PDB file of all heavy atoms in Angstrom:
ATOM      1  N   HIS A 142      -6.439  -5.787  11.197  1.00 99.00           N
ATOM      2  CA  HIS A 142      -6.775  -6.800  10.336  1.00 99.00           C
ATOM      3  C   HIS A 142      -7.507  -7.898  11.119  1.00 99.00           C
ATOM      4  O   HIS A 142      -7.076  -8.360  12.120  1.00 99.00           O
ATOM      5  CB  HIS A 142      -5.551  -7.503   9.675  1.00 99.00           C
ATOM      6  CG  HIS A 142      -4.824  -6.517   8.775  1.00 99.00           C
ATOM      7  ND1 HIS A 142      -4.190  -5.346   9.257  1.00 99.00           N
ATOM      8  CD2 HIS A 142      -4.650  -6.561   7.396  1.00 99.00           C
ATOM      9  CE1 HIS A 142      -3.658  -4.734   8.226  1.00 99.00           C
ATOM     10  NE2 HIS A 142      -3.997  -5.383   7.205  1.00 99.00           N
ATOM     11  N   ILE A 143      -8.724  -8.402  10.561  1.00 99.00           N
ATOM     12  CA  ILE A 143      -9.463  -9.428  11.234  1.00 99.00           C
ATOM     13  C   ILE A 143      -9.661 -10.619  10.411  1.00 99.00           C
ATOM     14  O   ILE A 143      -9.316 -10.480   9.108  1.00 99.00           O
ATOM     15  CB  ILE A 143     -10.868  -8.854  11.718  1.00 99.00           C
ATOM     16  CG1 ILE A 143     -11.571  -8.181  10.436  1.00 99.00           C
ATOM     17  CG2 ILE A 143     -10.692  -7.804  12.855  1.00 99.00           C
ATOM     18  CD1 ILE A 143     -13.061  -7.753  10.875  1.00 99.00           C
ATOM     19  N   ALA A 144     -10.022 -11.689  10.884  1.00 98.00           N
ATOM     20  CA  ALA A 144     -10.097 -12.940  10.058  1.00 98.00           C
ATOM     21  C   ALA A 144     -11.553 -13.325   9.676  1.00 98.00           C
ATOM     22  O   ALA A 144     -11.791 -14.123   8.953  1.00 98.00           O
ATOM     23  CB  ALA A 144      -9.445 -14.051  10.910  1.00 98.00           C
ATOM     24  N   GLU A 145     -12.578 -12.810  10.486  1.00 98.00           N
ATOM     25  CA  GLU A 145     -13.956 -13.007  10.122  1.00 98.00           C
ATOM     26  C   GLU A 145     -14.774 -11.743  10.231  1.00 98.00           C
ATOM     27  O   GLU A 145     -14.426 -11.063  11.195  1.00 98.00           O
ATOM     28  CB  GLU A 145     -14.400 -14.216  10.873  1.00 98.00           C
ATOM     29  CG  GLU A 145     -14.399 -14.012  12.288  1.00 98.00           C
ATOM     30  CD  GLU A 145     -14.188 -15.239  13.195  1.00 98.00           C
ATOM     31  OE1 GLU A 145     -14.202 -16.343  12.387  1.00 98.00           O
ATOM     32  OE2 GLU A 145     -14.007 -15.294  14.397  1.00 98.00           O
ATOM     33  N   PRO A 146     -15.827 -11.523   9.542  1.00 97.00           N
ATOM     34  CA  PRO A 146     -16.422 -10.299   9.575  1.00 97.00           C
ATOM     35  C   PRO A 146     -17.085  -9.901  10.935  1.00 97.00           C
ATOM     36  O   PRO A 146     -17.061  -8.825  11.265  1.00 97.00           O
ATOM     37  CB  PRO A 146     -17.758 -10.511   8.534  1.00 97.00           C
ATOM     38  CG  PRO A 146     -17.272 -11.605   7.664  1.00 97.00           C
ATOM     39  CD  PRO A 146     -16.251 -12.509   8.423  1.00 97.00           C
ATOM     40  N   GLU A 147     -17.497 -10.986  11.740  1.00 97.00           N
ATOM     41  CA  GLU A 147     -18.106 -10.743  13.025  1.00 97.00           C
ATOM     42  C   GLU A 147     -17.132 -10.053  13.925  1.00 97.00           C
ATOM     43  O   GLU A 147     -17.391  -9.382  14.875  1.00 97.00           O
ATOM     44  CB  GLU A 147     -18.640 -11.967  13.762  1.00 97.00           C
ATOM     45  CG  GLU A 147     -19.587 -12.707  12.874  1.00 97.00           C
ATOM     46  CD  GLU A 147     -18.939 -13.521  11.740  1.00 97.00           C
ATOM     47  OE1 GLU A 147     -18.160 -14.457  12.053  1.00 97.00           O
ATOM     48  OE2 GLU A 147     -19.285 -13.280  10.562  1.00 97.00           O
ATOM     49  N   ALA A 148     -15.790 -10.241  13.800  1.00 98.00           N
ATOM     50  CA  ALA A 148     -14.721  -9.704  14.655  1.00 98.00           C
ATOM     51  C   ALA A 148     -14.792  -8.164  14.550  1.00 98.00           C
ATOM     52  O   ALA A 148     -13.946  -7.621  15.296  1.00 98.00           O
ATOM     53  CB  ALA A 148     -13.436 -10.348  14.175  1.00 98.00           C
ATOM     54  N   ILE A 149     -15.457  -7.710  13.640  1.00 98.00           N
ATOM     55  CA  ILE A 149     -15.482  -6.160  13.668  1.00 98.00           C
ATOM     56  C   ILE A 149     -16.317  -5.485  14.742  1.00 98.00           C
ATOM     57  O   ILE A 149     -16.032  -4.420  15.210  1.00 98.00           O
ATOM     58  CB  ILE A 149     -16.114  -5.745  12.248  1.00 98.00           C
ATOM     59  CG1 ILE A 149     -15.741  -4.173  11.982  1.00 98.00           C
ATOM     60  CG2 ILE A 149     -17.622  -5.846  12.207  1.00 98.00           C
ATOM     61  CD1 ILE A 149     -16.197  -3.762  10.501  1.00 98.00           C
ATOM     62  N   ARG A 150     -17.245  -6.226  15.282  1.00 97.00           N
ATOM     63  CA  ARG A 150     -18.182  -5.753  16.228  1.00 97.00           C
ATOM     64  C   ARG A 150     -17.648  -5.067  17.467  1.00 97.00           C
ATOM     65  O   ARG A 150     -17.865  -3.930  17.769  1.00 97.00           O
ATOM     66  CB  ARG A 150     -19.087  -6.861  16.863  1.00 97.00           C
ATOM     67  CG  ARG A 150     -20.180  -7.284  15.844  1.00 97.00           C
ATOM     68  CD  ARG A 150     -21.363  -6.338  15.872  1.00 97.00           C
ATOM     69  NE  ARG A 150     -22.101  -6.374  14.566  1.00 97.00           N
ATOM     70  CZ  ARG A 150     -23.061  -7.506  14.376  1.00 97.00           C
ATOM     71  NH1 ARG A 150     -23.112  -8.507  15.270  1.00 97.00           N
ATOM     72  NH2 ARG A 150     -23.632  -7.449  13.140  1.00 97.00           N
ATOM     73  N   PRO A 151     -16.525  -5.709  18.161  1.00 97.00           N
ATOM     74  CA  PRO A 151     -16.019  -5.135  19.421  1.00 97.00           C
ATOM     75  C   PRO A 151     -15.177  -3.924  19.140  1.00 97.00           C
ATOM     76  O   PRO A 151     -14.809  -3.241  20.111  1.00 97.00           O
ATOM     77  CB  PRO A 151     -15.229  -6.344  20.125  1.00 97.00           C
ATOM     78  CG  PRO A 151     -15.040  -7.273  18.983  1.00 97.00           C
ATOM     79  CD  PRO A 151     -16.150  -7.090  18.023  1.00 97.00           C
ATOM     80  N   LEU A 152     -14.786  -3.678  17.857  1.00 98.00           N
ATOM     81  CA  LEU A 152     -13.813  -2.653  17.608  1.00 98.00           C
ATOM     82  C   LEU A 152     -14.520  -1.349  17.237  1.00 98.00           C
ATOM     83  O   LEU A 152     -13.783  -0.366  17.188  1.00 98.00           O
ATOM     84  CB  LEU A 152     -12.909  -3.151  16.346  1.00 98.00           C
ATOM     85  CG  LEU A 152     -12.430  -4.489  16.482  1.00 98.00           C
ATOM     86  CD1 LEU A 152     -11.542  -4.863  15.275  1.00 98.00           C
ATOM     87  CD2 LEU A 152     -11.354  -4.555  17.666  1.00 98.00           C
TER      88      LEU A 152
END
Side-chain angles (χ1 to χ4, degrees):
H142 295 67
I143 57 178
E145 57 213 355
E147 305 76 61
I149 198 173
R150 286 276 162 76
L152 308 178

